[in-house]
Amino acid sequence: MTKIADTAADAVANISDGSTVLMGGFGDAGQPMELIEALLESGAKDLTVVNNNAGQADAGLALLIKERRVNKIICSFPRQSDSWHFDEAYRAGEIELELVPQGNLAERLRAAGAGIGAFFTPTGYGTRLAEGKEVREINGRNYVLEYPIHGDVALIKAFQADEKGNLVYRKTARNFGPVMATAAKQTIAQVEEILPTGTLDPENIVTTSIYTDVMVAIQTQSTELAARERAQGAK
Amino acid sequence: MLRSEKVDRNTLAQLVADDIEAGSFVNLGIGQPTLVSNYLTSEHDVTLHTENGMLGMGRAAEESEVDIDLINAGKVPVTETPGAAFFHQADSFAIMRGGHLDVCVLGAFQVSATGDLANWHTGAEDAIPAVGGAMDLAIGAKRVYVMMNLFTRDGDIKLVPEATYPLTGVGCVSRLYTDHGIFELSDSGTVEVLALFGLSFEELSSKSDIHFVDATSK
């Protein structure tokens, strides 16, 4: 059963200290900003965070890092022009970084959700990111053994949900949402709107309700952009 | 192909575009490779992939079109073309890793004679490392093209017998496009010189211990 929370604060209330938190988003697209802000307010600490990046500017994940609530981050691209809070924590030795190629990050999350014990991937073979890892030659090609990344909680942003917890996404904001939803014990989704069950076309569901534990309706700019697009299409 | 002058980045982008077969599925990396899209005409009928989860990526968005949910791998707002499709990260990298893309075009710090690629880390120990999709892109496409200047500002050749920068991928680069020439690479380490711009074969050979084969008249 998917629970519908009234507020972002209610949605994240059960996240405990020391949790591994998967956070959707690629840059700002698909980033569950309101859930992350609620997590910041909740005071949860000693977190391990999995995200493609390590926070931008003075918002969301960047503020969690600024407040030293993140002990470790697993990501592919921490260094950005506006990642100053991560940069400072990293240079001070106050955050552990596990750098993972983006495709390996996605596949390790997928593996966690799909019950795979580990997998061999060609990505990273022969590089410093594969140092110390088991390698194997299979049919003449070299592969590196990679293990799943399991989350205690996933925070994701989808576009629409039905009351049952089925989710659809919007454009490239989909990014890590669907795989993270499968990889955590508890998936918390913020969505633009929650529609009556039966409204969404079953053929188009991307994340099925079995993965969605908690959801909360929060309108963001995505709603306005979708309305703009509909208006342009109707012209 | 021989030209008396070195070529500029736009001319090089045109040369890369000319080598992409009609109907290809292509990923263009951030930076210089992005210029290639300016020379892909409707006759190319190329479908662009962006690793953050889209096939059928269109041009960069104009100000009135900017949509925060529609960006490319460089986080730049883009547009969608008719027939575009969205998918999640694991599917997007499966498209790449699974060898479904025809061509990927990347930038580089160094490329070795056997096609090793170094483009994610300068090796500076105090640098904050960031890899993104670089390692996945390097090994993913059927053909991996690299665009870069052939020489550093100090005049050192960046096509090297063995890379000294940290590797992104091993033996993965098919062809190297530079301001001074185009090179076909293979596991053998013998480099076929397909074109030279403002550089003679003798001058090239004098700058490196690599075994070059002159194929500029082909």
Side-chain angles (χ1 to χ4, degrees):
Chain A
M1 267 287 283
T2 306
K3 283 186 207 154
I4 299 177
D6 290 332
T7 64
D10 290 346
V12 304
N14 292 330
I15 300 178
S16 52
D17 293 352
S19 292
T20 294
V21 183
L22 316 179
M23 291 183 187
F26 179 86
D28 288 334
Q31 188 172 188
M33 187 59 86
E34 285 74 13
L35 291 178
I36 299 169
E37 282 170 356
L39 181 64
L40 182 70
E41 289 296 312
S42 80
K45 61 180 194 297
D46 300 326
L47 303 172
T48 293
V49 169
V50 183
N51 181 255
N52 188 62
N53 304 103
Q56 285 91 234
D58 290 291
L61 174 54
L63 293 181
L64 273 176
I65 293 169
K66 181 189 178 193
E67 301 293 330
R68 298 297 186 267
R69 305 260 288 281
V70 182
N71 290 353
K72 178 179 177 180
I73 187 152
I74 302 174
C75 71
S76 86
F77 209 86
R79 185 191 66 230
Q80 300 187 92
S81 58
D82 57 356
S83 61
W84 44 75
H85 291 305
F86 171 81
D87 298 358
E88 191 192 320
Y90 181 77
R91 293 201 190 285
E94 291 172 356
I95 190 165
E96 184 188 343
L97 169 66
E98 181 180 343
L99 191 72
V100 181
Q102 197 173 334
N104 285 0
L105 187 65
E107 192 64 13
R108 288 174 66 188
L109 291 161
R110 199 197 71 80
I116 302 295
F119 59 93
F120 282 102
T121 173
T123 302
Y125 173 81
T127 74
R128 60 166 68 171
L129 296 188
E131 278 170 14
K133 294 183 176 175
E134 190 177 334
V135 296
R136 187 177 298 182
E137 188 183 319
I138 302 170
N139 290 331
R141 195 170 191 200
N142 291 301
Y143 296 82
V144 183
L145 186 66
E146 293 285 355
Y147 290 89
I149 299 173
H150 293 273
D152 294 305
V153 184
L155 303 181
I156 64 170
K157 178 184 176 182
F159 182 56
Q160 290 169 320
D162 64 17
E163 287 164 333
K164 201 169 164 56
N166 292 305
L167 307 177
V168 295
Y169 297 81
R170 187 164 182 272
K171 303 184 186 290
T172 56
R174 183 182 305 197
N175 56 65
F176 283 94
V179 275
M180 286 183 169
T182 70
K185 289 180 200 141
Q186 188 190 23
T187 292
I188 305 170
Q190 70 170 73
V191 299
E192 300 293 311
E193 57 182 338
I194 299 171
L195 301 166
T197 296
T199 313
L200 297 174
D201 182 348
E203 296 286 1
N204 293 342
I205 303 297
V206 177
T207 294
T208 66
S209 63
I210 198 168
Y211 298 115
T212 313
D213 297 291
V214 180
M215 55 187 178
V216 56
I218 299 166
Q219 286 204 351
T220 71
Q221 208 189 337
S222 297
T223 293
E224 294 159 36
L225 291 165
R228 184 185 78 182
E229 193 179 18
R230 275 196 304 275
Q232 283 167 349
K235 267 183 205 163
Chain B
M1 192 195 315
L2 288 170
R3 294 186 188 201
S4 58
E5 299 287 327
K6 76 170 187 172
V7 299
D8 64 24
R9 291 154 70 96
N10 288 315
T11 306
L12 195 62
Q14 172 82 68
L15 290 168
V16 174
D18 290 347
D19 284 352
I20 294 175
E21 280 185 39
S24 293
F25 291 86
V26 176
N27 185 301
L28 300 175
I30 295 165
Q32 195 175 353
T34 305
L35 294 175
V36 174
S37 65
N38 297 338
Y39 300 94
L40 293 173
T41 63
S42 56
E43 281 160 28
H44 277 96
D45 192 24
V46 157
T47 304
L48 290 178
H49 173 257
T50 182
E51 61 266 31
N52 54 312
M54 180 183 192
L55 269 170
M57 179 175 69
R59 57 175 170 72
E62 288 169 15
E63 207 177 319
S64 65
E65 297 172 316
V66 168
D67 183 330
I68 53 159
D69 292 335
L70 183 54
I71 59 174
N72 66 13
K75 305 195 174 84
V76 175
V78 292
T79 54
E80 56 193 60
T81 59
F86 300 106
F87 30 80
H88 63 63
Q89 286 290 281
D91 280 350
S92 187
F93 283 88
I95 284 173
M96 218 180 273
R97 197 189 307 106
H100 304 286
L101 290 177
D102 295 297
V103 176
C104 175
V105 187
L106 299 169
F109 299 135
Q110 276 182 336
V111 171
S112 86
T114 55
D116 293 354
L117 171 68
N119 76 350
W120 76 282
H121 199 301
T122 61
E125 287 310 319
D126 62 341
I128 294 174
V131 66
M135 290 185 180
D136 308 274
L137 285 162
I139 55 91
K142 291 179 187 132
R143 300 271 294 162
V144 174
Y145 295 166
V146 163
M147 295 174 77
M148 67 177 193
N149 290 337
L150 187 56
F151 300 100
T152 65
R153 285 197 194 115
D154 297 333
D156 296 323
I157 190 163
K158 291 156 71 177
L159 171 58
V160 291
E162 202 163 328
T164 54
Y165 282 49
L167 291 187
T168 309
V170 177
C172 56
V173 180
S174 321
R175 191 174 281 187
L176 174 61
Y177 292 82
T178 77
D179 51 350
H180 281 292
I182 303 173
F183 308 90
E184 183 78 9
L185 311 178
S186 70
D187 295 343
S188 71
T190 296
V191 173
E192 209 179 343
V193 183
L194 304 178
L196 285 172
F197 312 130
L199 189 73
S200 71
F201 187 79
E202 291 68 31
E203 283 171 314
L204 171 71
S205 299
S206 74
K207 295 196 183 284
S208 168
D209 294 333
I210 291 171
H211 182 229
F212 292 106
V213 173
D214 189 349
T216 53
S217 58
K218 269 189 191 171

